[in-house]
Amino acid sequence: MIRRLFPYYGAKHRISSAYPAPRHGLIVEPFAGSAAYSHRYGEDNEVILIEKNQRIAEIWRWLLTVSEDEFLSLPGVDTFDHIEETGLSDGPAREFVRQWCSEASPTGRNKVSTMVKFGIGKGEYKFTNKHKLFIMSLIEKIRHWTIIEGDYQSAPDVRATWYIDPPYQFGGEHYSKNCKTRDLDFGALGTWAKSRRGDVIVCEGNGADWMDFDLFKSCTDHTTH
């Protein structure tokens, strides 16, 4: 298991263990976000991430290629209050740090949130100077992953374990521009999901009706597979 490399709105890192383990040597996440399922099972499997949000896709491309020196030179979120204090120029490194400024933002934050500061004070796992070397060691375990920038239909037609966690039918309006619920044809997505080869896990929230979902054990999400 790899601990999360950055937080993201809607990610399921804490409950990823409740999903079935992959039975194929390839995992595909067509709505990658921060790739919670692959974090749990992707160290020893091939992983293909598909991400429509250009900003998040760029963070992944950067993580897959960043050098140790560059990564360890980044300021931890325990060293500043506002991103402008860091001197970081626009780009994926800055956006990566901005993601860590909050617990679950779809767009990142410029100010370190109160919750993050509270967690730092308790010694929790965050992007701090204390944890940077450990996070770098996790990055070395995902160098074999692949990131594709595009929508879910950009995924290759392969036999795999498919972990499909789209913006929810009710609640997905909080994502970034062009990545929100209103941009999805859920009927088409359901048809596409059913046509995947291998094992398919599809996640949704309460009230979703575009597939037949079973109540998940968290009692807040639904899933079908």
Side-chain angles (χ1 to χ4, degrees), residues 46-79:
E46 295 298 317
V47 172
I48 299 176
L49 305 178
I50 319 294
E51 179 54 57
K52 183 179 179 181
N53 185 329
Q54 180 183 20
R55 177 177 165 274
I56 299 300
E58 288 179 349
I59 290 175
W60 277 116
R61 278 194 292 268
W62 174 79
L63 284 172
L64 293 175
T65 59
V66 66
S67 69
E68 181 173 317
D69 286 346
E70 179 185 356
F71 188 81
L72 296 181
S73 71
L74 295 176
V77 293
D78 54 336
T79 65

Side-chain angles (χ1 to χ4, degrees), residues 155-184:
D157 184 10
V158 292
R159 184 173 300 277
T161 296
W162 294 80
Y163 184 78
I164 303 173
D165 185 17
Y168 285 176
Q169 187 175 10
F170 304 105
E173 66 277 2
H174 302 297
Y175 286 93
S176 305
K177 183 179 179 181
N178 299 327
C179 298
K180 298 181 180 181
T181 293
R182 64 169 179 255
D183 300 305
L184 273 175

Side-chain angles (χ1 to χ4, degrees), residues 7-93:
Y8 191 67
Y9 179 74
K12 297 178 173 62
H13 293 277
R14 292 181 180 178
I15 62 172
S16 61
S17 62
Y19 292 104
R23 298 191 300 176
H24 302 273
L26 173 63
I27 298 168
V28 183
E29 291 203 44
F31 299 86
S34 59
Y37 186 81
S38 293
H39 272 65
R40 178 162 291 276
Y41 298 113
E43 182 177 353
D44 299 317
N45 291 286
E46 295 298 317
V47 172
I48 299 176
L49 305 178
I50 319 294
E51 179 54 57
K52 183 179 179 181
N53 185 329
Q54 180 183 20
R55 177 177 165 274
I56 299 300
E58 288 179 349
I59 290 175
W60 277 116
R61 278 194 292 268
W62 174 79
L63 284 172
L64 293 175
T65 59
V66 66
S67 69
E68 181 173 317
D69 286 346
E70 179 185 356
F71 188 81
L72 296 181
S73 71
L74 295 176
V77 293
D78 54 336
T79 65
F80 64 90
D81 292 317
H82 194 284
I83 195 70
E84 294 301 332
E85 299 171 22
T86 66
L88 290 171
S89 57
D90 291 343

